[in-house]
Amino acid sequence: MAPLDAALGWDDDTTAETYAAFTRDFPMYGVTSRDLARRASLTGNSLVVDLCGGAGATAKSILDLVPMHAHVISLDNAAAMQRAGRRVLTDPRLTWGTAPAEKLADHVPDPADAVVCNSAIWKTNVPVVFSAVHQVLRPGGRFVFNIGGGFAGVRHPDEVAQRTGQSLNALIHQAAASDYGYTPPPATEAAPKLPLEAITEHLSTAGMTLVGSEIVAQHSTMAEKKAWLSIPVFARPEGEFSHTQRMEILHKAYSLTKPDAPTVTSWLVVVAQRPTEER
């Protein structure tokens, strides 16, 4: 059994509950959500969209910054993720909408002051979504999102400096090879899925402008990395393994590391805007 696809496998209760627990127990989503919310300049906003909002980790950070009269719409295609979020996030200012990001305009009744998307733009039809974001934003409204360094083709200097020894993914491949005769796929240097040049072009085509971008480093630990790889959509290795087998492989690989060993991942953060004056 192959791992659940990272774009299509989210509407699964086990995945949703494991993911929601990760967002509560580890800092990654809290840190990245607060960073995006801060860049969106939300203090005077009335309507904000949390795009591909999952279980509501980013919506929570948005709600912490918007005025008490503001309204937040969290849109996601996975009902299971939203069920997990609704159980813990009950703010009356928040509305949950179940729909793909490409249908954003059908679920935002009034012009939005900002659209925020945490680590999910890569799995959408980017030109269609950017066009929908332009459609729902008021003139001058902000669109803020981030992309993992691998998808964007960027690497923060901290990630380069921190690389010592084998990664947990490499140890997983070794354990799978030792215990199951697994043959890892050949290492290839794939072209980045969404480099900044392509993002800028897509934004321009959609009628938005790039306000700024920054490569940031997310500092965490091997324990957090293990928890991340315990979420079914991210469990490794690929191939005909059950989830139980993947967890056995993960535990064996993790036993060769130190829980508090530092890890660093890179992110490209993008801030765009619908122009205040359009042709």
Side-chain angles (χ1 to χ4, degrees), residues 18 22 26 28 167-169 172 220-232 234-236 243 246-261 263:
T18 308
F22 176 89
F26 294 92
M28 186 188 83
S167 69
L168 187 54
N169 280 327
I172 286 170
S220 60
T221 64
M222 197 64 72
E224 184 171 16
K225 182 70 172 179
K226 174 182 178 286
W228 177 254
L229 292 173
S230 298
I231 301 171
F234 300 126
R236 294 294 179 264
H243 185 63
R246 289 194 176 92
M247 293 302 95
E248 291 172 351
I249 292 167
L250 174 60
H251 285 297
K252 181 173 181 178
Y254 181 66
S255 71
L256 301 175
T257 70
K258 296 180 179 179
D260 59 352
T263 64

Side-chain angles (χ1 to χ4, degrees), residues 158-183:
D158 285 2
E159 182 180 359
V160 178
Q162 190 63 59
R163 283 186 178 271
T164 57
Q166 292 180 293
S167 69
L168 187 54
N169 280 327
L171 293 170
I172 286 170
H173 285 166
Q174 286 186 10
S178 172
D179 293 354
Y180 294 94
Y182 173 74
T183 302

Side-chain angles (χ1 to χ4, degrees), residues 267-278:
W267 294 83
L268 176 67
V269 182
V270 177
V271 179
Q273 188 174 41
R274 177 172 174 171
T276 54
E277 296 183 3
E278 299 179 327

